[in-house]
Amino acid sequence: MRRSNTRPWAAGWLAAAVAARHVAGLRHLRRSLEWLAQPVSEAEMTDTPVHMIVPVLREQQHVAAALEWFTALLERMPGSTLTVVTTAREEHERQHLAALLAEQGDQPVTGRRFPQLTAAELDTVVAAQAAAPGHALTRAHAATVLGRFPLTRDVVARELEGDRYRGAAVRHVHYPGDGRKAAQVNHAVTHLDADSQSYVAVYDVDSRPTPEVMAATLAFIGHRRAADGALPAVLQQPARHTTRATSPHAWERMICRGAADLQTLWTLRREIPYVRRYGQMIGRAGRLPWWDAVRAGVSQPVGHGLFVRGDVFADLGGLPDFTVLDDVPFGYRLTMERIPVESVPVTLVADAPEDVRELLAQSRRWFQCNLDYPKVARAARAAGSGSMAAHVAALAVCFYRGAAWLSASPATAACLLVAVDRRHRPPVRTAAIAALAWGVAVPVVVLTRADRQPLTAGGITRRSAGVLAAYLLRSIGPWQAVARTVAGRPAGPFAPKANSRTVVDPRNGKDPR
């Protein structure tokens, strides 16, 4: 068979570059797992107050379980509080949803077209549409149908009237504006007594920090305070991602499981090393400050399991509320202010998407942070935060990370094609196979061992196939976000939210379904 002579060096260099990146990632993976395995002495556990904030929007079915879970945590954390913050945005979105249902006319109302509807809401709307004249809902009729379901603020208020929460340090705050999650959190903090001796901790309604995770976090805080003489400014509880295999399609369950594994690998290969390197480099006085800034990178916190000391939160003016998401842009401001961020050697468990449509939508939302960095940089410069050199270095890092995300799928697909194409020379094909092995199969083996699961050929093959499929899909959502931005399409009237989240039984931590 004739070998390909068309730019053979291009395929070779591409495979070598991907392999090198995955080798570095594998090294970071092992170091992160070793770091997470270090013992944390609960003898250093502090009684520092933690004001946990859970912003909710269109999450009526998750409120009861969340309240039960977090209230149980408070029993082990004297002086800490829980604030559930609802928002008037939910009413505005419901009005807009009624208008969209009216515009639907006699066309079928489906969950794919209206992902904002819960299963019960969808069934009720479909039945109302079938019984309506001409099988079409008017805006008033649609609003009446949706109004049969309580708003999240009504559910929270009703739950807190129960005896279970009498005397508990739990409050309900309602945000009257139209802002997103960051605005809700900022509004909630105005009702707290957060200072330099306490933390504001942000969680999602489906976050489930265990008592062991919280105890380890408080012990870590106590250890850092004993070593430094002050509470750490910002802490991040990293997360491992999982699915509950609820899709009826085997191929979709495999892809979503692979995507959850890939996101966990990103946490271990990128997020934790980013945070640790940033913490080590901040405050360092090197001969080349701009190079130190590039090496430090940009702080990249995540919006659940994020602890911010009360005075730091106030000094920064809270979370940025002018971007689609708030956590990663908040990290840019931390970087410009050279505020250290530390990762706690524990992991939360976070639910991952259960269907491919939501998987792509999630990555599209997340990548919007990368597109918002110029806006965040302009706001920081206007506030006098950071030098021009610091902004240039930070934006260069942000551009590199965004480019790596955009190229993940094309690079993986190219390596796969080179590996199976016999027209390429053996060294080139070997490099491509090595890149795939170090990026997919070897990390899966390491992750399986860390999970204390049996190492079987079938299990590793299936799990590796899922991760490979997730890699091939990884860049689609980001490219969609780029296309929407180029086309000038706004983020839309609905906050980034999905009603497909899993409900967890607070009694045993399991999915009751």
Side-chain angles (χ1 to χ4, degrees):
M1 180 179 294
R2 183 180 178 181
R3 298 192 183 278
S4 173
N5 292 317
T6 305
R7 297 184 181 272
W9 56 268
W13 279 110
L14 172 65
V18 174
R21 178 173 171 82
H22 286 323
V23 167
L26 187 60
R27 184 175 68 253
H28 292 319
L29 171 62
R30 295 184 184 278
R31 289 178 177 176
S32 293
L33 289 172
E34 292 173 358
W35 177 75
L36 287 170
Q38 64 179 307
V40 178
S41 174
E42 294 192 7
E44 297 179 296
M45 184 172 171
T46 178
D47 58 356
T48 302
V50 177
H51 301 294
M52 295 178 286
I53 299 177
V54 179
V56 289
L57 168 65
R58 301 195 313 268
E59 291 171 308
Q60 296 90 324
Q61 68 271 39
H62 305 290
V63 167
L67 283 172
E68 183 71 21
W69 187 280
F70 282 99
T71 302
L73 285 181
L74 290 177
E75 295 173 358
R76 301 168 179 251
M77 302 168 60
S80 296
T81 67
L82 170 66
T83 301
V84 180
V85 51
T86 54
T87 172
R89 184 185 181 96
E90 185 169 331
E91 301 167 55
H92 303 154
E93 290 192 2
R94 180 173 283 190
Q95 294 169 6
H96 185 77
L97 192 56
L100 291 179
L101 288 169
E103 293 174 4
Q104 189 76 355
D106 60 355
Q107 297 299 310
V109 175
T110 64
R112 183 172 293 275
R113 174 68 181 83
F114 293 94
Q116 302 82 14
L117 295 173
T118 64
E121 289 171 338
L122 180 62
D123 290 343
T124 303
V125 168
V126 169
Q129 185 191 42
H135 303 298
L137 295 171
T138 65
R139 181 170 182 170
H141 190 185
T144 300
V145 173
L146 294 175
R148 298 174 189 172
F149 296 89
L151 295 165
T152 306
R153 69 173 185 180
D154 300 324
V155 175
V156 174
R158 185 182 64 224
E159 289 289 336
L160 292 182
E161 290 175 354
D163 294 337
R164 171 71 176 88
Y165 304 106
R166 296 189 189 280
V170 180
R171 64 166 59 86
H172 171 207
V173 173
H174 187 66
Y175 168 61
D178 199 36
R180 299 174 185 264
K181 176 181 175 180
Q184 289 177 257
V185 173
N186 293 342
H187 179 72
V189 173
T190 63
H191 293 75
L192 300 174
D193 295 324
D195 54 21
S196 62
Q197 299 302 312
S198 63
Y199 283 98
V200 171
V202 182
Y203 286 102
D204 290 333
V205 72
D206 56 354
S207 299
R208 295 295 181 265
T210 64
E212 294 76 17
V213 165
M214 297 305 290
T217 300
L218 292 174
F220 182 81
I221 291 172
H223 172 74
R224 299 304 303 157
R225 181 169 62 179
D228 302 334
L231 296 177
V234 182
L235 298 172
Q236 176 73 65
Q237 293 173 331
R240 302 185 71 172
H241 299 258
T242 184
T243 66
R244 299 181 185 274
T246 60
S247 172
H249 309 293
W251 63 268
E252 193 166 48
R253 292 195 298 271
M254 181 194 73
I255 291 175
C256 290
R257 165 70 186 277
D261 283 340
L262 186 55
Q263 191 60 33
T264 296
L265 288 171
W266 184 87
T267 297
L268 297 170
R269 295 189 295 193
R270 308 300 173 195
E271 178 190 324
I272 292 176
Y274 286 165
V275 173
R276 297 186 66 198
R277 183 170 65 245
Y278 171 81
Q280 293 167 359
M281 297 296 297
I282 283 296
R284 173 175 170 173
R287 294 182 179 180
L288 298 173
W290 63 270
W291 177 239
D292 287 339
V294 171
R295 291 185 61 195
V298 177
S299 174
Q300 198 162 330
V302 180
H304 59 92
L306 175 63
F307 285 54
V308 184
R309 205 172 64 208
D311 60 324
V312 174
F313 194 95
D315 290 344
L316 294 178
L319 301 178
D321 56 7
F322 56 89
T323 53
V324 174
L325 299 180
D326 54 85
D327 42 10
V328 176
F330 182 63
Y332 189 94
R333 183 68 187 277
L334 292 173
T335 304
M336 291 302 101
E337 296 292 339
R338 303 187 68 78
I339 295 175
V341 180
E342 299 187 55
S343 189
V344 183
V346 296
T347 51
L348 299 170
V349 176
D351 286 340
E354 301 286 354
D355 63 81
V356 172
R357 178 181 58 83
E358 173 54 25
L359 176 65
L360 297 179
Q362 183 189 72
S363 63
R364 187 169 61 244
R365 293 192 299 267
W366 285 357
F367 193 79
Q368 188 62 46
C369 290
N370 295 75
L371 301 177
D372 283 339
Y373 273 129
K375 183 192 304 183
V376 175
R378 287 194 297 270
R381 284 289 291 168
S385 177
S387 64
M388 179 58 72
H391 282 285
V392 170
L395 288 174
V397 172
C398 295
F399 177 82
Y400 167 76
R401 292 178 182 176
W405 194 348
L406 289 169
S407 62
S409 295
T412 302
C415 285
L416 190 60
L417 291 175
V418 170
V420 300
D421 188 350
R422 294 184 178 181
R423 292 176 299 173
H424 289 285
R425 299 184 182 280
V428 175
R429 294 182 63 203
T430 300
I433 293 171
L436 295 171
W438 288 329
V440 178
V442 177
V444 164
V445 171
V446 174
L447 205 57
T448 302
R449 285 176 174 167
D451 293 339
R452 294 185 173 85
Q453 295 180 1
L455 283 170
T456 64
I460 295 300
T461 300
R462 287 190 296 272
R463 200 170 182 181
S464 297
V467 172
L468 178 60
Y471 257 124
L472 294 174
L473 295 177
R474 186 169 178 80
S475 301
I476 294 178
W479 278 111
Q480 289 175 336
V482 171
R484 291 187 175 194
T485 300
V486 172
R489 295 173 60 185
F494 297 107
K497 191 72 64 175
N499 278 317
S500 58
R501 287 176 174 167
T502 327
V503 181
V504 177
D505 188 335
R507 296 166 296 181
N508 53 27
K510 296 181 179 179
D511 180 6
R513 295 175 295 180

